[in-house]
Amino acid sequence: MLVDSPPEQCAETAPALPTRRAIRTLGLLISVGVLLLVALASVAIGAKALPPAQVWHGLFHDSGTYADVVIGDRISRTVLGLLVGAALGLSGAVLQALTRNPLADPGLLGINAGASAAVVTAITYFGVTSLSGYVWFAFFGAAAVGALVWFLGGSRGATPVRLALAGTAISAALYGYLQAVMIMDDAALGKMRFWTVGSLASATDSTIEQVAPFLAVGTVLALALARPLNAVAMGDDTARALGANLNRTRALSMAAATVLCGAATAACGPIVFVGLMVPHAVRSFTGPDLRWILPYATVLSPVLLLGADVLGRMVARPAELQVGIVTAVLGGPVFIFLVRRRRTAQL
């Protein structure tokens, strides 16, 4: 005769299943490992092919051709890619939560357009030609547009729809201004052609030092907003019932996204789709909880950006494709797929 085991005994002998939190934590650790591998690939692989021994020599010797290539160019480029990728992913995730639109990206609120218009103005009317000059004009252009969108969207009474509409209208106006200035000024067109496609090729220690403080402040602010943004994502009434301050949360979210996207755009030009694709993809396995979406986006967005940059160096040797072109080529089909899947889910 078979005798059933007592429930207590079954509970003791049954293997414990991993919790959802443990699985997410493990996934985040794996993502960090993938990021380290991609960063190493960014240092080791370039438009100019170098054997591993020469890369190693360049890393640990202060002078010589290899050191100039590896330390002077590739490491700065990789560090900037890490910072900018994290900023774009975080700003995209924050804006998607703020607007309650999973297909939103940093360009939705006109931040990229503000930075680009400011750089065109600096080149055409102030004679700025250096990247260090671009950084400050682009950043303050992005910040000014962010503040204007917040004001036109209703300020303390801002809603996701008003913010999106204000951002779209301002973006259209600024891009019209940008194109008009570039058409009338051939010198500006030549100087802007490289910057507007988005590139990490001009990364320098000076650029990193100038944008790093802004990116650090924006990152801390964005991560701190995870809990209140979770409440906002449930709707205004639910958020108020949970004790969230809607006006403060929206204002701080706008500030975080503006600082992050503005500094990233200032450093290497407008790079599209990173802030759209990564948070959207992350949400598919983390769920809607921003306490997990934001850290995952911080880690995986640089994976996409650096991976695209490495691919751009490899496919056109001895020249290279700018990373903004590669992300646009990769992101276009992905965006179409996401829109079609979202439409199918709504039917």
Side-chain angles (χ1 to χ4, degrees):
M1 175 183 293
L2 296 176
V3 179
D4 292 336
S5 300
E8 295 81 1
Q9 184 177 349
C10 292
E12 291 176 359
T13 59
L17 295 176
T19 64
R20 187 173 181 84
R21 181 183 180 87
I23 294 173
R24 288 170 171 172
T25 302
L26 178 61
L28 190 58
L29 293 175
I30 293 173
S31 299
V32 172
V34 173
L35 177 58
L36 291 176
L37 291 176
V38 174
L40 288 174
S42 178
V43 174
I45 301 172
K48 179 180 180 180
L50 292 178
Q54 294 178 354
V55 174
W56 182 265
H57 183 275
L59 282 172
F60 295 100
H61 292 77
D62 294 334
S63 60
T65 303
Y66 302 145
D68 292 340
V69 172
V70 176
I71 297 179
D73 297 332
R74 294 186 187 175
I75 289 185
S76 296
R77 187 169 181 162
T78 300
V79 171
L80 186 62
L82 291 170
L83 295 175
V84 168
L88 293 175
L90 268 178
S91 60
V94 168
L95 290 177
Q96 288 175 12
L98 178 65
T99 61
R100 301 192 205 120
N101 180 359
L103 298 180
D105 74 334
L108 181 67
L109 299 185
I111 297 172
N112 284 346
S116 299
V119 171
V120 168
T121 301
I123 291 173
T124 305
Y125 300 110
F126 296 99
V128 177
T129 58
S130 66
L131 186 63
S132 60
Y134 295 166
V135 167
W136 294 103
F137 275 92
F139 177 76
F140 286 114
V145 169
L148 182 59
V149 168
W150 176 251
F151 174 76
L152 294 179
S155 188
R156 297 181 64 85
T159 64
V161 174
R162 287 180 179 179
L163 291 173
L165 289 175
T168 301
I170 292 174
S171 292
L174 288 178
Y175 278 124
Y177 163 77
L178 187 152
Q179 294 299 323
V181 172
M182 291 175 66
I183 289 173
M184 293 186 294
D185 189 339
D186 292 339
L189 177 60
K191 295 172 184 176
M192 283 293 297
R193 188 179 302 157
F194 180 79
W195 187 84
T196 52
V197 298
S199 173
L200 297 173
S202 298
T204 63
D205 293 341
S206 176
T207 304
I208 295 171
E209 290 171 0
Q210 290 181 66
V211 300
F214 296 106
L215 296 178
V217 170
T219 298
V220 172
L221 180 57
L223 293 174
L225 288 169
R227 286 183 180 274
L229 279 174
N230 273 340
V232 170
M234 298 179 184
D236 290 0
D237 293 337
T238 303
R240 291 191 185 95
L242 294 173
N245 188 320
L246 290 177
N247 292 327
R248 183 178 63 189
T249 300
R250 286 173 179 153
L252 291 176
S253 298
M254 280 288 297
T258 298
V259 170
L260 288 169
C261 188
T265 304
C268 46
I271 298 176
V272 297
F273 288 117
V274 175
L276 165 67
M277 289 190 291
V278 176
H280 192 88
V282 163
R283 192 178 293 105
S284 65
F285 59 85
T286 64
D289 191 346
L290 283 156
R291 292 174 298 175
W292 290 101
I293 292 175
L294 295 180
Y296 266 97
T298 304
V299 174
L300 292 179
S301 295
V303 171
L304 173 60
L305 186 63
L306 287 177
D309 191 42
V310 171
L311 181 62
R313 299 182 222 174
M314 296 174 63
V315 298
R317 282 177 173 169
E320 63 179 78
L321 286 177
Q322 306 308 319
V323 67
I325 298 174
V326 179
T327 58
V329 171
L330 295 176
V334 172
F335 182 74
I336 293 172
F337 169 75
L338 294 176
V339 171
R340 289 182 60 85
R341 189 177 71 171
R342 180 173 172 81
R343 181 181 178 184
T344 301
Q346 292 175 342
L347 293 178

